[in-house]
Amino acid sequence: MQPDAVSDVSGFYNYFPLDTGSYIVYHVDSIIHEFADDLTNNPDSLKTFYHYEVKEVIDSTFIDGEGDKAFRISRYYRDTVTSPWSFTALWTAKVTNQSAQRVEENLRYVKLSFPVKENKSWNGNLFNYLSEEDYMYEEVDAPLSIGGFNFGSSLTVLQMEDFNLIHQILKKEKYVYGVGLAYRERDSLNVVVVQNITYVTNGVEFRQSMIDYSPK
């Protein structure tokens, strides 16, 4: 039985489990759009495609500056499934009564806000110097199929959606109950409209999808 939004706040922590020794492997697709000089004859961008894998391992705990128990997340990278893993970065995460937080590239984000409730919003940049961003639960307790796995309960956090005549920005994450982050989407594209058709001129498209995991 999935937790109820009112009576079982603590159950929602399972969307952001932190267990030493657990890991998740992701497949990443990234498209880098480069500016094309001639917008009349060649209005779309030049594209470079990247495909690789990322592994996140929760390897140890510590007490952070606020006196809370936090977890170190070691991140690894490889080009293909046969390549060796290379260590790339150390991130951290913690769960409090009010929120689930991750420090990524030295910036602390409020990934989830408790209790979980559809359409609830909060400032994801509350603990960093970036401009305020209103995150929102777009979908709660929804089934999700990803990486060959079928899960009964996931939630979707819409972090930003800003589409207009000059840019298209979309940031979204999906979390699976008992697993954690399963999907991340990041689009930051500049566009131009030519004869009522929208073309990408430059920017980045990013998709990170879970393909394997191991709970503690």
Side-chain angles (χ1 to χ4, degrees):
M1 179 181 295
Q2 300 303 328
D4 178 81
V6 176
S7 63
D8 189 7
V9 175
S10 63
F12 288 115
Y13 301 162
N14 289 312
Y15 282 110
F16 201 89
L18 295 172
D19 296 308
T20 303
S22 64
Y23 69 81
I24 302 179
V25 179
Y26 303 95
H27 176 78
V28 177
D29 293 305
S30 180
I31 304 175
I32 309 299
H33 296 261
E34 301 173 32
F35 186 73
D37 291 332
D38 188 350
L39 293 180
T40 302
N41 297 318
N42 184 22
D44 209 354
S45 60
L46 305 174
K47 303 181 183 72
T48 304
F49 298 86
Y50 296 94
H51 310 285
Y52 55 92
E53 292 186 356
V54 170
K55 184 178 184 179
E56 294 189 350
V57 181
I58 301 178
D59 59 19
S60 60
T61 65
F62 67 102
I63 302 301
D64 68 8
E66 289 76 41
D68 297 324
K69 182 180 180 181
F71 293 76
R72 296 182 181 92
I73 302 173
S74 294
R75 305 188 81 242
Y76 300 87
Y77 165 95
R78 68 182 180 185
D79 290 316
T80 67
V81 295
T82 58
S83 302
W85 289 107
S86 298
F87 176 80
T88 59
L90 184 67
W91 290 0
T92 66
K94 71 176 181 180
V95 172
T96 70
N97 291 336
Q98 294 78 34
S99 64
Q101 305 169 23
R102 287 232 306 187
V103 178
E104 303 175 353
E105 307 297 341
N106 295 319
L107 291 175
R108 184 181 299 276
Y109 299 94
V110 181
K111 295 295 188 173
L112 305 179
S113 178
F114 304 126
V116 172
K117 185 178 181 181
E118 196 163 331
N119 297 320
K120 178 183 179 179
S121 65
W122 67 96
N123 178 16
N125 290 332
L126 180 63
F127 299 117
N128 63 53
Y129 60 81
L130 301 177
S131 299
E132 181 175 338
E133 287 187 0
D134 289 330
Y135 291 9
M136 183 185 72
Y137 289 122
E138 188 176 53
E139 202 171 29
V140 171
D141 195 22
L144 178 67
S145 296
I146 189 169
F149 301 99
N150 296 308
F151 300 104
S153 181
S154 73
L155 58 82
T156 299
V157 178
L158 180 62
Q159 298 174 329
M160 178 178 287
E161 187 174 38
D162 185 7
F163 285 28
N164 57 41
L165 295 177
I166 61 173
H167 65 235
Q168 296 180 355
I169 300 174
L170 179 64
K171 296 166 59 177
K172 181 181 295 189
E173 293 182 344
K174 292 180 181 289
Y175 294 82
V176 168
Y177 190 88
V179 178
L181 178 67
Y183 178 78
R184 171 181 284 182
E185 183 172 349
R186 293 283 191 277
D187 292 345
S188 181
L189 303 170
N190 293 315
V191 299
V192 63
V193 179
V194 179
Q195 296 180 348
N196 295 321
I197 300 176
T198 300
Y199 296 95
V200 174
T201 58
N202 65 311
V204 178
E205 293 180 79
F206 180 92
R207 304 287 185 277
Q208 175 181 311
S209 301
M210 186 186 74
I211 57 173
D212 191 18
Y213 74 102
S214 176
K216 182 178 178 181

